[in-house]
Amino acid sequence: MTLGGIFSYLVFFLIFTGIYAVMTLALNMQRGFAGLFNIGIAGFWAVGSYTSAIMTTPPSAEHLGGYNLPFVLGLLAAGLVAALLAFLIGIPTIKLREDYLGIATIGIAEIIRLVIKNEEWLSNGVRGIAGIPKPMAGFLGHNYNIFFLLIVVLIIAIFFYLSEKGINSPWGRVLRAIREEEEVVKAAGKNVVRYRMEAFVLGAFMMGVGGALYAHFTSFISPEAFKPMQATFLVWIMLIIGGSANNFGSLVGALLTWGIWTGTEFLTGMLPAAYTTQASALRVILIGVFLEIILLSRPQGLFGEKKYSASSSKS
Amino acid sequence: MAVQLFLNGVILGSIIALGAIGLSLIYGILKFGHFAHGDLMTLGAYFAFLFKVQLALPFWLAFILAAMLTALVAIILNFVLYRHLRKRDSVIVMISSVGAALIIRNIILLFWGPQNKFYDKAIQMPIILGDGFLRIKENQIVILILALILVIAVHLFLTRTKLGKAMRAMADNIDLAQITGINTERVIIWTWAMSGVLTAAAGILLAFDTHLTPVMGWNLLLPLFAAVILGGIGSPYGAMFGGLVIGISQEMSTLVISAAYKPAVAFTIMILMLIIKPSGLMGKKVS
């Protein structure tokens, strides 16, 4: 591989790391700070991807719309629709024990997959949506990926800043207090369900935006484009490795996990081509065993929970 | 048509019920949703494939061996993972079970590949009753009889044996059970064993009705949880009833909605139950 080849691969690698980092920051908002159990990340991801695709593609007979809107509006719409979905799931489940939310999110992710697969008028079914616009692609030519990486980094920076700001505010303190001692917070007269719901909806918004980034980068999405449980699972590993309730850890966790995941691809790539199915199965087994080892030996992740002192609040 | 769908629903429902009994007991006793339950079901079905087709053993023997082996895997999962993680946050145990689910499914993919497999390739002619009014395959009659025998066995076990009573007591209130001198660790191991056997049975019967695929159990996970929540977490009888209701509703729903959305039916029933009565029909109150 030439030096230029290595560089462009690195950019490609970092873009995917970045998209996953958005998802991990989002999950950290839900799970790390609010203790919420979301294993339907792929559902919010898909909703974000499809919403932005429908919003930004030119009019098409194959799926809903094609509303030809600018990229930024596509991202925003993706976040909002994913947030709305979270709100609707949250109504019946968020006041119950965390496992109910887990089961409900897995269910909604499955139903979203069924809708995307079967409702051709909406999503063009299994054929998927192609030609999702890459912002400013015509203008930038072959340096495009570097530009896209900058967009991803910008989004991460915004989410990171807002998340840190939020968690250090009185709102964030209540949230963390709920996670630790729900009864005490209730006794203090706070509406626990409302705080939880807000964290869930905010996280879902970020996931929707992450999904939109994925759609615009790959420029093609279909129900089979990625494996939902695998994607969800990777984000969870990223969060656990980085340490729950630690935004910085989330970023490092995303980088490390995506690195390991890509590394296993090189490893299994050495197997003969006839073994592709076995190779991809082996990758999932390896990453699964890796997670179990982390859970058993280092449950707090690499960085543990960041200490947020009450006085660090500026509000 | 409706009667036929109802019958299909009863068959699917008994399979869901078998899987849901173990899921509900584990949920009640260990206080976590076991997300690898569906894949344990698949594993049971593939073990039976190994013994029946690859090693050419008789079906009954393959059934017993597969059930025992699946029980062993369930015990090992508990021993290696859940026993250590249980004392921490329940989300950690649950995510670990999601990991176990993915590992099991991909081990199956690794050894048996993604293609559909069959216990018996011969095509069965359905028995036609009442001038084509009702069609049932011989296999399906066997499924119904086996499911009924297993459910009766579970009932006798839970009501007549000391171990079974201890399981129910623990699912009801683990602290109280501990005070009365029940050896909780031992009961937990037996609960996993029983769940393993029932789950394998559910998987084998499902494959017996249709075919084997690596995602067969995963696709039933949502109906399994819906059955457990409908019946009330920790209630084995609730799980049986919940399984039948979910199975019948899924099949009957094809009268009004596209068959592609069958899993959505289980989900909708579950959400409605969570809104109306989160503790389920026969469960105790949950916070």
Side-chain angles (χ1 to χ4, degrees):
Chain A
M1 211 187 263
T2 62
L3 207 62
I6 292 172
F7 179 73
S8 66
Y9 182 80
L10 191 69
V11 172
F12 182 81
F13 171 84
L14 285 176
I15 289 172
F16 267 92
T17 307
I19 292 170
Y20 270 97
V22 171
M23 297 298 177
T24 315
L25 282 176
L27 184 63
N28 193 31
M29 173 57 73
Q30 297 178 338
R31 153 69 184 157
F33 296 128
L36 298 165
F37 187 43
N38 177 2
I39 36 175
I41 297 169
F44 299 101
W45 184 318
V47 164
S49 293
Y50 272 91
T51 304
S52 196
I54 288 167
M55 288 295 173
T56 58
T57 45
S60 160
E62 288 174 340
H63 55 83
L64 177 68
Y67 295 112
N68 230 343
L69 291 168
F71 171 70
V72 179
L73 284 182
L75 289 196
L76 202 62
L80 289 175
V81 175
L84 178 70
L85 181 72
F87 179 68
L88 294 176
I89 306 169
I91 293 171
T93 52
I94 219 140
K95 59 179 185 293
L96 302 168
R97 242 164 51 184
E98 61 260 77
D99 28 349
Y100 289 105
L101 183 65
I103 300 166
T105 51
I106 233 177
I108 203 78
E110 178 61 15
I111 288 169
I112 288 165
R113 200 181 62 83
L114 291 176
V115 170
I116 289 170
K117 214 170 146 183
N118 293 299
E119 302 302 320
E120 303 217 335
W121 62 271
L122 175 74
S123 59
N124 200 25
V126 284
R127 286 187 297 279
I129 299 180
I132 303 163
K134 296 186 163 216
M136 307 194 38
F139 179 67
L140 287 154
H142 60 273
N143 285 326
Y144 182 73
N145 283 2
I146 301 173
F147 171 71
F148 199 86
L149 179 60
L150 290 176
I151 297 178
V152 174
V153 170
L154 180 70
I155 301 272
I156 293 175
I158 295 170
F159 284 168
F160 188 93
Y161 174 77
L162 292 177
S163 184
E164 283 288 310
K165 187 110 180 138
I167 213 63
N168 283 312
S169 70
W171 177 79
R173 282 202 301 275
V174 175
L175 209 55
R176 278 175 289 128
I178 293 171
R179 204 195 51 192
E180 300 305 326
E181 285 296 339
E182 190 178 332
E183 294 308 314
V184 175
V185 183
K186 260 188 207 156
K190 300 281 183 199
N191 184 345
V192 168
V193 173
R194 211 193 92 196
Y195 279 87
R196 278 223 182 100
M197 180 69 108
E198 283 164 354
F200 187 53
V201 167
L202 272 175
F205 178 89
M206 294 191 212
M207 285 176 189
V209 173
L213 286 175
Y214 172 83
H216 287 281
F217 182 62
T218 58
S219 139
F220 169 72
I221 48 171
S222 79
E224 315 299 333
F226 65 93
K227 300 195 169 114
M229 214 46 224
Q230 200 164 292
T232 299
F233 190 59
L234 279 174
V235 177
W236 267 95
I237 299 179
M238 289 165 179
L239 181 76
I240 288 165
I241 289 188
S244 216
N246 184 331
N247 281 327
F248 174 72
S250 294
L251 299 185
V252 181
L255 183 65
L256 271 178
T257 309
W258 190 250
I260 293 169
W261 180 245
T262 315
T264 59
E265 193 175 12
F266 279 114
L267 209 66
T268 53
M270 284 187 260
L271 290 168
Y275 293 98
T276 18
T277 320
Q278 284 90 335
S280 70
L282 202 58
R283 286 179 75 195
V284 182
I285 295 171
L286 284 175
I287 199 92
V289 171
F290 176 65
L291 168 83
E292 304 293 1
I293 292 172
I294 294 277
L295 284 178
L296 290 169
S297 62
R298 221 183 141 70
Q300 75 278 31
L302 291 181
F303 301 97
E305 176 162 359
K306 193 174 153 194
K307 295 278 171 286
Y308 291 92
S309 65
S311 59
S312 73
S313 158
K314 293 180 195 77
S315 48
Chain B
M1 187 65 186
V3 182
Q4 179 71 53
L5 287 173
F6 185 82
L7 177 71
N8 296 350
V10 172
I11 294 166
L12 178 67
S14 356
I15 292 169
I16 296 173
L18 285 179
I21 294 168
L23 185 62
S24 189
L25 277 174
I26 290 170
Y27 211 150
I29 292 176
L30 300 176
K31 307 279 174 284
F32 79 95
H34 185 228
F35 287 89
H37 224 76
D39 293 281
L40 218 46
M41 193 167 151
T42 319
L43 189 66
Y46 274 87
F47 278 150
F49 178 80
L50 170 73
F51 293 122
K52 177 168 189 300
V53 179
Q54 291 172 292
L55 300 176
L57 295 176
F59 185 64
W60 64 269
L61 187 59
F63 192 107
I64 292 172
L65 287 175
M68 283 168 61
L69 216 53
T70 312
L72 186 69
V73 172
I75 293 170
I76 292 173
L77 281 178
N78 176 54
F79 190 76
V80 177
L81 299 175
Y82 310 142
R83 193 170 59 111
H84 303 283
L85 301 172
R86 215 166 65 209
K87 289 170 187 76
R88 293 209 301 266
D89 182 351
S90 74
V91 170
I92 296 291
V93 207
M94 287 192 276
I95 205 69
S96 157
S97 74
V98 175
L102 276 171
I103 294 173
I104 293 173
R105 195 178 328 151
N106 282 281
I107 287 177
I108 290 168
L109 265 169
L110 196 62
F111 284 103
W112 285 285
Q115 306 84 1
N116 292 353
K117 300 245 185 287
F118 300 85
Y119 289 143
D120 193 350
K121 279 227 167 89
I123 293 170
Q124 268 196 335
M125 280 302 157
I127 301 162
I128 298 172
L129 303 163
D131 251 2
F133 182 61
L134 205 59
R135 304 155 76 89
I136 185 163
K137 286 186 290 182
E138 211 176 289
N139 279 3
Q140 294 176 318
I141 299 175
V142 176
I143 291 170
L144 287 175
I145 293 171
L146 278 177
L148 192 65
I149 292 173
L150 281 165
V151 163
I152 292 171
V154 168
H155 167 69
L156 291 177
F157 173 75
L158 289 173
T159 49
R160 303 288 157 85
T161 67
K162 224 177 149 182
L163 193 59
K165 285 178 190 166
M167 266 179 210
R168 275 161 57 220
M170 276 177 71
D172 203 39
N173 188 335
I174 195 160
D175 296 323
L176 207 62
Q178 222 151 9
I179 294 168
T180 54
I182 292 172
N183 181 345
T184 51
E185 279 307 312
R186 197 175 137 257
V187 176
I188 287 172
I189 292 171
W190 279 107
T191 309
W192 280 106
M194 190 179 94
S195 302
V197 168
L198 291 174
T199 309
I204 296 168
L205 295 185
L206 180 63
F208 196 53
D209 187 23
T210 54
H211 54 258
L212 297 109
T213 78
V215 290
M216 57 188 276
W218 173 254
N219 289 342
L220 266 196
L221 188 65
L222 198 58
L224 284 178
F225 270 119
V228 169
I229 288 174
L230 187 63
I233 289 170
S235 159
Y237 298 101
M240 293 175 199
F241 177 73
L244 279 175
V245 172
I246 298 289
I248 293 166
S249 328
Q250 285 209 6
E251 291 299 324
M252 301 282 282
S253 75
T254 55
L255 284 172
V256 276
I257 59 166
S258 150
Y261 287 110
K262 270 194 227 172
V265 176
F267 180 78
T268 311
I269 294 175
M270 185 182 86
I271 293 290
L272 285 177
M273 198 65 200
L274 288 179
I275 295 171
I276 302 163
K277 192 166 181 290
S279 57
L281 294 172
M282 306 180 195
K284 52 181 178 160
K285 214 174 150 2
V286 287
S287 52

